[in-house]
Amino acid sequence: MARTRPVAALAMYADLAGGLFDAATRARLDELVELRGEVLTDFTRPEANDTLREVEVLVTGWGAPEVDAAALAAAPELRAIVHTAGTVKGIVDPACWERGVTVSTAASANAVPVAEFTLAMIILAGKDAFATEHRDRYLRPHDNPESTGNYRRTVGIVGASRVGRRLLELLRKLDLDVLLSDPFVSPEEARALGATWHDLDEVISLSRTLSLHAPSVPETRHLIDKRRLGLMPDGATLINTSRGALVDEAALVDELTTGRINAILDVTDPEPPAADSPLYTLPNVFITPHIAGSIGNEVQRLGAAAVDELARYVAGQPFEHEVSAAHLPTMA
């Protein structure tokens, strides 16, 4: 007897689903599962109860309510959660794993645009593009010192996360000297990734461009503090496309105000910065509003990755990108 399609529901921002699935991906989704109800944005609403009572698979995304003990009680048939974004912190309660619910994430798919954005910023930082643009705008004379350029420039990567590893793959194609600091990576593994392992202080002091890719956990809060900012060489650039809390922002502003280093920030703490933050006006800062991750048509990659995971589930295969409770402490 053919297996029937599992009952599934979408839980995310109401307007997100339309962007996640293009026509072809939506058709695959409808072939694999039987979607029930409207997009769930609040598990406590009465109309959500009927859907949760039947659902075997939840496809979650940004804005999804937390799947906590109460939601689990309302969803006795729930067997899997397929998340169409990166971290599942705040979405998947540890009670899910205790109940035996299998969880998947699209973090690897979301790592692609972050790594691409960071690669672009590394190249532009090496060319001193942002400072040059600022000087040209105000017709200030300038030259290009020998330290400018990307030939054998030393680039430091902090964190061999999904994004960090994807970025390391991209950097292999360039004539750069790449360093890596990650306490969970051995020197041998770093070499296999195309980098030379050093401890964090060494990476900071040796790198002309320093890019952060560590998770935001209590142990990494203000990982880049006043002392470590002081280790950066004159003219070096700090790139943060990970989490704002990795950097002591007050100390960073103080260091940037001297003009000694530069910063490219896609994330800050708080996010966005206060309206009167010097980060908006300092000439040696390039700041973007958390756009490195999937935006626009890039979210379709997340939808496609989630449907691929659903296909594995329906076929009785394990998820390729399964998340366990043990992963939570080190997730971004």
Side-chain angles (χ1 to χ4, degrees):
M1 181 177 178
R3 178 175 176 172
T4 59
R5 291 179 299 159
V7 175
L10 304 179
M12 57 191 67
Y13 289 126
D15 59 354
L16 176 60
L20 277 172
F21 308 112
D22 62 18
T25 304
R26 180 57 192 246
R28 283 188 67 207
L29 177 65
D30 290 336
E31 289 175 0
L32 290 166
V33 299
E34 183 180 344
L35 281 179
R36 292 288 175 83
E38 300 295 326
V39 177
L40 300 176
T41 59
D42 183 351
F43 291 149
T44 66
R45 297 179 63 182
E47 54 267 35
N49 287 337
D50 291 340
T51 300
L52 289 175
R53 190 177 301 115
E54 296 183 280
V55 73
E56 180 178 339
V57 182
L58 272 177
V59 180
T60 59
W62 293 312
E66 184 175 15
V67 187
D68 55 14
L72 286 172
E77 303 300 322
L78 184 64
R79 298 293 178 268
I81 297 171
V82 177
H83 192 50
T84 63
T87 181
V88 298
K89 284 183 178 178
I91 301 293
V92 181
D93 187 271
C96 292
W97 287 286
E98 294 171 7
R99 229 256 317 258
V101 175
T102 308
V103 181
S104 168
T105 175
S108 293
N110 196 45
V112 174
V114 182
E116 292 172 347
F117 181 94
T118 307
L119 175 66
M121 296 301 105
I122 287 172
I123 294 171
L124 291 172
K127 301 289 280 188
D128 201 24
F130 301 113
T132 300
E133 186 275 338
H134 188 270
R135 289 190 295 262
D136 282 351
R137 183 186 300 179
Y138 295 101
L139 303 178
R140 295 172 180 168
H142 63 277
D143 57 14
N144 298 116
E146 290 185 4
S147 60
T148 302
N150 285 305
Y151 181 67
R152 293 306 178 199
R153 187 178 184 88
T154 301
V155 175
I157 306 300
V158 179
S161 60
R162 288 182 178 88
V163 174
R165 289 169 185 258
R166 180 78 181 194
L167 177 60
L168 287 166
E169 289 180 22
L170 299 175
L171 292 173
R172 283 177 179 269
K173 301 177 182 179
L174 305 180
D175 290 322
L176 297 168
D177 294 327
V178 181
L179 312 180
L180 172 65
S181 175
D182 187 310
F184 302 102
V185 171
S186 68
E188 293 75 21
E189 186 178 0
R191 281 195 295 271
L193 292 170
T196 303
W197 191 94
H198 289 272
D199 69 31
L200 180 56
D201 285 1
E202 290 174 332
V203 167
I204 294 172
S205 62
L206 292 171
S207 299
R208 296 287 304 172
T209 304
L210 183 70
S211 189
L212 306 182
H213 302 286
S216 180
V217 295
E219 294 79 9
T220 61
R221 177 170 174 77
H222 293 179
L223 183 71
I224 308 302
D225 56 11
K226 179 178 180 179
R227 182 186 69 81
R228 286 187 166 134
L229 288 166
L231 296 176
M232 294 181 66
D234 291 352
T237 298
L238 173 69
I239 300 176
N240 192 4
T241 56
S242 183
R243 290 290 187 266
L246 297 178
V247 181
D248 181 339
E249 192 162 297
L252 177 62
V253 169
D254 288 345
E255 194 72 56
L256 290 168
T257 301
T258 70
R260 194 182 70 80
I261 63 171
N262 311 295
I264 297 172
L265 305 173
D266 186 56
V267 291
T268 56
D269 184 29
E271 190 173 283
D276 60 350
S277 172
L279 293 175
Y280 289 121
T281 55
L282 283 167
N284 51 338
V285 178
F286 181 73
I287 187 168
T288 50
H290 206 147
I291 62 170
S294 299
I295 60 173
N297 60 24
E298 292 168 339
V299 302
Q300 293 176 12
R301 182 187 286 114
L302 306 181
V307 172
D308 286 343
E309 290 287 69
L310 281 171
R312 295 183 186 97
Y313 177 82
V314 170
Q317 300 170 355
F319 286 138
E320 182 176 353
H321 303 289
E322 184 173 344
V323 181
S324 70
H327 291 134
L328 281 184
T330 56
M331 294 196 81

